[in-house]
Amino acid sequence: METNSRETNHRMKTKAEPSHPPVWLLMPDSQPKRARSAERLTRPRQAAPPLDEEALRDRLRAIRTDTANHLDELLGQLTSTLQEQYGVTSLEATTAQEAADEIARLASPSRRVLVNRSATVAELRPYLKAHGLEIVETYDEQFVHPDQGVERYWQLEPPSAETAWEAFRPQAITPSPRQSTDIGVLGVNVAAAKDGTVFFVQHLFNISDILERASKIVLVIGVERVVRDRDAAAFVARSQARYGALSVALGVPRRGGDSKGEVPVGRSLTPASPVRDAAHVPMHAILLDNGRRAWLSDPRYQDLFLCIGCRNCLLECPTQPYYGGETGWTPRDYLAAFLRGDSSSLRECITCGRCGARCPLDIDLPAMISEAKAEAGATRWQDQFYCNIGTLFQASSLTAPLSNWLFNWPLARLPMEWVSEMDRERKLPAFHRNTFLNQYRRRSSAPASGRAVVYYPGCYANFTDPELSWAVVGILERNGFRVLVPEHQCCGVACFPYGAKELAQRYARRRLRVFGPLAQEGYTILVSCPSCGTALERDFPYLLPESDDARLVAEQTRDVSDFLWALHQRGELDTDFDPLKLRVGYHTPCHLRVRDLGPENLRLLELIPGMEPIDIDRGCCGMAGSFGMRRAHREESREIGRYLFEELRSPGYDLGITNCAGCEMQMRAGSGRDVVHPLKLLWRAYSNSGSK
């Protein structure tokens, strides 16, 4: 990288003059009138070279691990570099209060603080306000959305990985002479310990404006943002820009500009009390801990230190507008705020897993959030109702049809709402006294030979939808498999998200006593419920890391649709389907999406003559397990699913399809259309097939 002439001239000045560390901006290549950011990302000037995604992430992880392993060394080196080379004294602030106190001391008489859009600076805001400082946002005023604006990720046209990587180019800059008495407080994206270089990712020009207008600059550097040298810092900053390219467009209000995307000068940056008698901008540095070192000392949260701050975890989070609407928090920020005591609850997290799936470093934020709930004892007595949902289903099945009548009687739902917080307006599924497992035990005949597989129907299919379970058995037997169905027990998937870790572990051990020996014998364990699949594949190994059975069961668990598609790819699937002339809208449940599953359902249905399956990607449906069942989340649940409902109501669909019983319930209630599991359609399409 080459510095521009301003930086070169600055470095040639005598040591007696004030100096500052090198400042680099990563920003999209300039275009006339600053055309909107989305256009810069999606219209590269030339084809970008292909990215080796795995190598990129490996290098990123190595850099971040180096910081975690040598934090004290790197902080000491950066402090010495700033002092010895640039005369900048660094304050290592243990808390946000200490950092705010220092900024208040440095603040000019105008008491105005110009800030960039930084999660690190956001930690200081309440304390800066307590000092009576006026905080001036500089980002939103300069951002212009595309003509129609965007609210959710599916409304964005994603650039290719290569385009996003190539779109941001580093530029070295030198702060201009002071033009106001305002103080600039800038959260640094990355800092290099070796030479003190700091990097910012700038999508428009608000950071440049602050550097030009402020009378003094305070660089706020989260201690996890320090890396070894400039090359590593540039790589991390570029990765932030690449992975956060789409998240930038979300959560930013549409402000000013014209239909051509011309960006106006931010009104909030009108300078106060101009002064022009200084040649250089004094710089100060604050190294902010504010709870970060505690992450390193706790194995449950160590991976938080790997976070590069790209905000990619925000992109698909269904509830971010509710917990982060005012603060701009990402899921990572939401957790960090709770850990340091700035937030009292994590209940807006629905543990869908989308944030973890989008993280370039595979940071398991959902597990960390569940751990934090468990540590804080956040499981309330009403939560036990949902943690033990398997027991409730079993009791409701044993008392059916009386239970079904009670669940549909408004007077009975009122005390239920008080006890469990279950929304009395939520229509519940009908429970079957004659469960699938009871029916299966009494069947008169079954294939005596063939390859054997294990089928785990889960609570919903066993107690409320035996038809789905029989469809699965019928499809598998049609394709030459002998189906083993073990004794039913709940997998306990709802427990850990509520912070009931010990209860979740007990459920896991009970299930492993059954599934462990089967896995040891080499059986494939098939599931038709996405949440049960998540429990067996992901939760059990996490909850019981010492268990070989948990690892083996996870390796041998497959979703039924994924298993069938693999059969088709090997040429072993029976494709003698009857025609079904239907146009169906498919919703991928979160617990399939985060396991890289879902498209196989569309591919299977495309094998049926006359079938036209359409993928409807409108985010989470809003049910999110028991989240949408609770009275407190009634409106929020409906609002999250609104986009899906609106699409499904359109006249182009005959019915909706999804793999998750909770999604099915929500989609039916929100759209008014019938919604079924895709495997029911597959079973219906087999020649001479029908329900058992």
Side-chain angles (χ1 to χ4, degrees):
M1 301 178 188
E2 295 182 358
T3 60
N4 63 16
S5 59
R6 286 188 295 173
E7 184 186 39
T8 303
N9 292 337
H10 174 68
R11 289 185 174 182
M12 293 175 62
K13 293 185 180 292
T14 64
K15 292 184 178 180
E17 290 188 73
S19 185
H20 63 79
V23 177
W24 289 73
L25 295 179
L26 263 76
M27 54 197 299
D29 290 337
S30 60
Q31 291 181 357
K33 296 186 178 181
R34 291 282 187 177
R36 54 183 176 262
S37 180
E39 290 183 340
R40 290 198 294 271
L41 289 170
T42 55
R43 298 181 185 177
R45 290 177 298 179
Q46 59 185 12
L51 274 182
D52 185 338
E53 187 73 26
E54 185 175 353
L56 188 154
R57 296 187 184 208
D58 286 346
R59 185 184 176 195
L60 199 54
R61 179 173 288 275
I63 293 171
R64 302 304 300 126
T65 301
D66 180 61
T67 294
N69 292 340
H70 303 93
L71 181 62
D72 289 333
E73 173 195 338
L74 295 176
L75 291 178
Q77 185 179 19
L78 177 61
T79 299
S80 298
T81 299
L82 293 176
Q83 177 64 50
E84 295 170 6
Q85 295 190 29
Y86 311 109
V88 175
T89 301
S90 302
L91 168 69
E92 186 166 349
T94 304
T95 65
Q97 181 68 66
E98 290 180 29
D101 291 346
E102 176 68 4
I103 292 169
R105 185 184 68 81
L106 296 169
S108 59
S110 76
R111 309 295 289 172
R112 294 213 318 169
V113 178
L114 311 180
V115 301
N116 63 334
R117 194 183 191 207
S118 160
T120 309
V121 172
E123 297 174 32
L124 313 182
R125 290 171 64 97
Y127 305 96
L128 294 174
K129 288 181 178 179
H131 275 287
L133 298 175
E134 178 189 356
I135 299 174
V136 181
E137 293 281 1
T138 63
Y139 184 83
D140 290 359
E141 291 285 352
Q142 296 181 353
F143 193 96
V144 178
H145 273 307
D147 293 343
Q148 299 303 316
V150 290
E151 294 178 296
R152 294 293 188 269
Y153 71 89
W154 60 83
Q155 297 169 320
L156 296 164
E157 182 178 348
S160 69
E162 292 78 14
T163 298
W165 182 260
E166 293 294 328
F168 286 82
R169 296 289 184 176
Q171 301 178 30
I173 68 166
T174 300
S176 301
R178 293 175 291 180
Q179 297 182 15
S180 77
T181 57
D182 297 333
I183 183 172
V185 176
L186 295 173
V188 172
N189 288 83
V190 200
K194 186 174 182 179
D195 69 352
T197 300
V198 295
F199 280 82
F200 297 97
V201 176
Q202 175 175 258
H203 299 93
L204 294 171
F205 51 90
N206 64 310
I207 296 174
S208 301
D209 273 357
I210 293 174
L211 291 169
E212 291 176 359
R213 295 171 184 268
S215 62
K216 61 185 71 170
I217 298 293
V218 179
L219 302 174
V220 183
I221 307 169
V223 294
E224 83 282 14
R225 300 299 178 94
V226 180
V227 300
R228 192 162 293 278
D229 54 38
R230 182 184 294 190
D231 284 345
F235 185 82
V236 172
R238 203 168 182 187
S239 298
Q240 290 175 333
R242 175 255 189 272
Y243 290 112
L246 290 180
S247 297
V248 170
L250 298 180
V252 183
R254 190 177 184 180
R255 307 277 182 92
D258 59 23
S259 61
K260 297 179 181 179
E262 184 173 353
V263 180
V265 174
R267 293 185 297 277
S268 62
L269 278 179
T270 302
S273 307
V275 293
R276 306 179 183 277
D277 58 349
H280 299 289
V281 179
M283 280 196 177
H284 307 266
I286 295 176
L287 305 180
L288 183 64
D289 182 348
N290 205 28
R292 288 163 170 80
R293 287 179 182 272
W295 303 341
L296 286 178
S297 62
D298 192 326
R300 296 170 299 178
Y301 309 119
Q302 280 179 349
D303 278 0
L304 269 180
F305 222 81
L306 301 180
C307 175
I308 63 172
C310 66
R311 301 177 65 83
N312 200 18
C313 57
L314 171 151
L315 191 64
E316 296 184 17
C317 178
T319 55
Q320 192 276 338
Y322 303 96
Y323 67 75
E326 295 295 325
T327 61
W329 281 343
T330 65
R332 177 265 189 199
D333 301 330
Y334 188 38
L335 171 60
F338 181 81
L339 292 176
R340 64 175 178 261
D342 289 345
S343 176
S344 61
S345 172
L346 289 170
R347 297 187 73 83
E348 287 292 342
C349 172
I350 60 177
T351 326
C352 64
R354 287 174 176 249
C355 56
R358 291 206 63 87
C359 178
L361 293 177
D362 300 319
I363 298 172
D364 195 348
L365 282 171
M368 292 183 189
I369 289 173
S370 296
E371 288 280 10
K373 291 178 182 177
E375 181 182 18
T379 310
R380 303 188 308 194
W381 65 269
Q382 294 97 334
D383 299 338
Q384 296 296 333
F385 184 82
Y386 302 96
C387 291
N388 293 284
I389 198 74
T391 303
L392 172 67
F393 272 46
Q394 187 173 25
S396 300
S397 174
L398 288 172
T399 56
L402 176 61
S403 57
N404 295 325
W405 178 78
L406 284 172
F407 290 149
N408 286 287
W409 185 32
L411 289 179
R413 292 295 294 273
L414 283 172
M416 284 179 57
E417 186 176 81
W418 179 81
V419 171
S420 66
E421 297 183 346
M422 182 183 289
D423 184 7
R424 63 180 180 273
E425 294 184 8
R426 176 68 67 180
K427 183 175 175 59
L428 301 180
F431 291 91
H432 291 250
R433 188 180 186 89
N434 190 17
T435 66
F436 163 70
L437 191 58
N438 290 339
Q439 296 174 32
Y440 189 81
R441 288 172 181 160
R442 295 196 304 268
R443 69 186 305 201
S444 57
S445 63
S449 61
R451 296 170 291 177
V453 293
V454 173
Y455 172 50
Y456 176 50
C459 293
Y460 270 102
N462 184 50
F463 294 113
T464 72
D465 196 1
E467 182 184 353
L468 170 59
S469 298
W470 280 117
V472 171
V473 171
I475 292 168
L476 292 170
E477 291 182 350
R478 173 75 175 245
N479 284 277
F481 289 92
R482 184 164 52 92
V483 183
L484 308 179
V485 183
E487 287 294 320
H488 178 77
Q489 292 176 345
C490 181
C491 65
V493 68
C495 300
F496 193 34
Y498 277 112
K501 185 177 182 179
E502 292 183 1
L503 180 59
Q505 290 170 326
R506 290 200 295 272
Y507 271 110
R509 291 190 183 99
R510 284 202 293 264
R511 278 285 65 187
L512 289 174
R513 282 196 287 269
V514 175
F515 287 142
L518 292 170
Q520 291 171 21
E521 293 181 40
Y523 288 109
T524 297
I525 301 168
L526 299 178
V527 293
S528 53
C529 171
S531 296
C532 293
T534 298
L536 271 61
E537 284 188 22
R538 296 193 171 188
D539 293 354
F540 286 8
Y542 180 89
L543 291 166
L544 304 173
E546 77 290 346
S547 171
D548 291 335
D549 280 349
R551 176 188 54 78
L552 190 59
V553 167
E555 291 173 354
Q556 294 181 204
T557 295
R558 299 282 298 275
D559 183 82
V560 175
S561 296
D562 183 49
F563 180 78
L564 294 174
W565 181 248
L567 284 182
H568 177 69
Q569 289 181 305
R570 298 196 301 267
E572 299 175 9
L573 182 71
D574 182 350
T575 56
D576 183 17
F577 295 111
D578 282 343
L580 288 179
K581 294 184 178 180
L582 293 171
R583 192 172 191 267
V584 296
Y586 176 66
H587 165 69
T588 304
C590 295
H591 282 170
L592 279 187
R593 187 183 184 96
V594 300
R595 289 154 56 212
D596 294 322
L597 297 173
E600 65 282 349
N601 292 278
L602 294 165
R603 299 186 190 114
L604 284 171
L605 293 180
E606 286 170 351
L607 300 175
I608 301 173
M611 177 71 73
E612 187 181 359
I614 306 297
D615 184 24
I616 302 179
D617 183 5
R618 294 296 183 272
C620 177
C621 73
M623 177 60 86
S626 58
F627 177 86
M629 299 292 293
R630 305 187 82 138
R631 175 190 60 218
H633 300 143
R634 177 190 298 166
E635 297 306 320
E636 192 174 330
S637 172
R638 292 172 178 173
E639 178 62 21
I640 291 170
R642 172 172 62 89
Y643 307 91
L644 175 61
F645 307 153
E646 290 173 353
E647 175 65 22
L648 200 54
R649 287 192 201 110
S650 64
Y653 299 103
D654 295 306
L655 74 162
I657 53 173
T658 189
N659 307 72
C660 174
C663 297
E664 182 179 319
M665 191 189 313
Q666 175 84 334
M667 291 165 66
R668 188 180 293 117
S671 70
R673 287 201 182 277
D674 190 20
V675 182
V676 300
H677 196 291
L679 292 176
K680 289 185 179 180
L681 296 182
L682 202 68
W683 177 232
R684 189 192 306 177
Y686 269 125
S687 301
N688 302 315
S689 64
S691 298
K692 292 281 183 182

